[in-house]
Amino acid sequence: MTAAIHAVTGISNATGRPLVLAGVLQSPLTLQRAQVATLATAQASNGTNWAEFGGNQARTHGSASWLLVEGQRSNLLRNPRCEGAVIGTPGTLPTFWSFAGTLGLSTAVTGTGVEDGLAYVDIRFFGTPTSTGTVQVNHDVASPASDGQVWTYSLFSRVSAGSLANVGNATLAATAGTGTTNATYTLASAALGTTRRSSTVTAAGGASSIIVRWRLAVTSGQPVDVSVRFAGVQLEQGPAASTPILPLAGSPASATRGTDLVSATLSALGIAGNGRATLGWCGVIPHAAGAGASQTLLQIDGGDDNNRYTVLNVAGGSVIRLQRGLAGATAQSDAGSMTAGTVFRLGLSIDGAGRAALSLNGGAPIAVTGGAVSGLAALRLGTTAAGLAAMFGETRHLQLLPFNIPDARLGAFTAALPG
């Protein structure tokens, strides 16, 4: 595919430099990620297993195995590893877990272990319900929240024994003040690592806390006997679930995964301080941007966010925007919209004289002018200079050329990028 890029642009094979190739980070790009008493995770290429990563380790994610860039998130549920469970009838639930109601059913902890890289606990519900409603499991106490905050509750779950006879839907229930979301689904017996579900709620009505519960619907007088396997419970502030955030084994507590900071100096890339260069990017963003939460894809800047050229997905949707900053003042132009979860391509060309152009998926370029012509120093993938507005997405390919491609050829260059 690289040869095709050269053919449509007339570029010599010697001039292109891959910075991310088939999802793998290439020098001189580096990744830094702070995390103390925390392990980040990513899904393996089989699309099922999950692996744990220490600080500053690049992560490839999912069946495509593309480079993952996420922002900082904290998991406020303190025991996603299901530690402290004791097998028995009723046995002992994992530390910080409790029942919020069982409707007369008996319960038992029937198993613990690891499946698909996820530590789990099996809980059996059996007997005849005394009323119609939902069996409820709390994973922690209420967590602080305030109006306007967006929270996402997620977990992995599957049937591990028994049957779904006389059992209704499962629900991820999240309540913050008057904000309430009930995300229902049908339990199945699929591999645990593929069963993640989530529920997102916006705190409102004078909210001071958020309460999350897993629920299972049953009917009065209809006997049930089903065991459910749970893993990876998570509550984070954000519009969609990020990858599981885990405390160190044996130390259940709230845990914070730092931002993936991917960058290189322009000098190491052979780019002058006027930023004259062309970047080709291909990847995917799984979710549209939340309100007030833009997603940065590419940025060239002077070490802060005052003087910069930035490509971002605009907060509250899927619009791809080219923006320049000069002494803090901005100008911008929109290239169109991406589709969440679908691969798309970007071609960014900076001429070194204050103009930048952007093609989305090979379309006609849009441009901004009046940008910085000196003092630019860094290339960033997936965040701003302040480490904010993270991409929460995956990069398949990032290509650098040490010159600008004119508008007439930028679309063809972009369309030919690997993907």
Side-chain angles (χ1 to χ4, degrees):
M1 187 62 75
T2 301
I5 297 173
H6 298 148
V8 297
T9 60
I11 298 165
S12 163
N13 284 337
T15 56
R17 181 174 192 170
L19 298 178
V20 177
L21 187 61
V24 178
L25 199 66
Q26 307 290 311
S27 178
L29 274 187
T30 62
L31 182 146
Q32 294 181 311
R33 182 180 61 252
Q35 52 190 53
V36 178
T38 305
L39 291 170
T41 62
Q43 194 173 50
S45 59
N46 65 6
T48 300
N49 290 357
W50 289 80
E52 300 176 2
F53 295 79
N56 300 334
Q57 285 186 287
R59 296 174 290 162
T60 56
H61 182 66
S63 57
S65 294
W66 292 354
L67 179 69
L68 178 65
V69 174
E70 295 184 296
Q72 179 170 302
R73 291 280 179 87
S74 296
N75 181 5
L76 298 191
L77 300 185
R78 294 171 288 178
N79 195 3
R81 295 184 183 274
C82 309
E83 294 177 321
V86 178
I87 295 173
T89 305
T92 302
L93 290 177
T95 306
F96 306 126
W97 292 34
S98 62
F99 290 117
T102 58
L103 302 183
L105 291 177
S106 297
T107 62
V109 175
T110 57
T112 60
V114 176
E115 180 184 346
D116 300 336
L118 301 167
Y120 70 78
V121 63
D122 288 337
I123 302 176
R124 181 187 179 200
F125 304 92
F126 61 102
T128 302
T130 55
S131 60
T132 297
T134 57
V135 177
Q136 300 184 82
V137 179
N138 288 335
H139 304 293
D140 223 305
V141 297
S143 298
S146 58
D147 284 3
Q149 291 179 340
V150 179
W151 292 85
T152 298
Y153 166 43
S154 60
L155 55 75
F156 298 81
S157 61
R158 74 171 183 87
V159 175
S160 59
S163 78
L164 292 175
N166 299 324
V167 172
N169 283 334
T171 300
L172 296 181
T175 301
T178 59
T180 299
T181 300
N182 293 297
T184 62
Y185 65 101
T186 301
L187 282 167
S189 301
L192 185 65
T194 67
T195 64
R196 197 177 195 201
R197 299 283 184 154
S198 66
S199 178
T200 298
V201 65
T202 300
S208 59
S209 65
I210 178 169
I211 298 172
V212 294
R213 288 175 176 163
W214 180 87
R215 294 172 172 163
L216 185 64
V218 294
T219 302
S220 178
Q222 299 296 312
V224 302
D225 190 349
V226 62
S227 294
V228 180
R229 179 163 294 178
F230 296 94
V233 297
Q234 186 151 302
L235 175 63
E236 59 195 298
Q237 189 178 342
S242 65
T243 53
I245 304 164
L246 303 175
L248 298 181
S251 302
S254 297
T256 299
R257 178 198 63 234
T259 303
D260 293 303
L261 300 171
V262 182
S263 67
T265 64
L266 294 189
S267 60
L269 295 167
I271 304 301
N274 63 7
R276 183 173 180 261
T278 299
L279 290 166
W281 178 92
C282 175
V284 63
I285 296 179
H287 304 283
S294 292
Q295 298 166 304
T296 304
L297 289 104
L298 299 169
Q299 181 163 301
I300 288 180
D301 60 59
D304 58 30
D305 293 314
N306 291 319
N307 299 308
R308 58 183 170 81
Y309 295 98
T310 305
V311 182
L312 66 150
N313 181 40
V314 181
S318 302
V319 173
I320 300 299
R321 176 171 294 170
L322 172 61
Q323 190 174 77
R324 66 87 173 146
L326 183 65
T330 61
Q332 60 201 31
S333 184
D334 294 340
S337 297
M338 65 95 184
T339 299
T342 299
V343 175
F344 66 103
R345 297 165 174 81
L346 301 169
L348 172 65
S349 180
I350 301 172
D351 71 358
R355 183 181 187 273
L358 178 71
S359 170
L360 170 63
N361 289 328
I366 51 88
V368 294
T369 58
V373 297
S374 64
L376 298 174
L379 165 66
R380 304 181 202 278
L381 171 64
T383 66
T384 65
L388 302 175
M391 179 193 303
F392 285 97
E394 301 165 37
T395 296
R396 187 264 186 241
H397 182 82
L398 178 61
Q399 177 94 1
L400 171 73
L401 297 91
F403 53 84
N404 65 298
I405 295 178
D407 288 5
R409 293 190 291 170
L410 187 58
F413 164 79
T414 305
L417 289 166

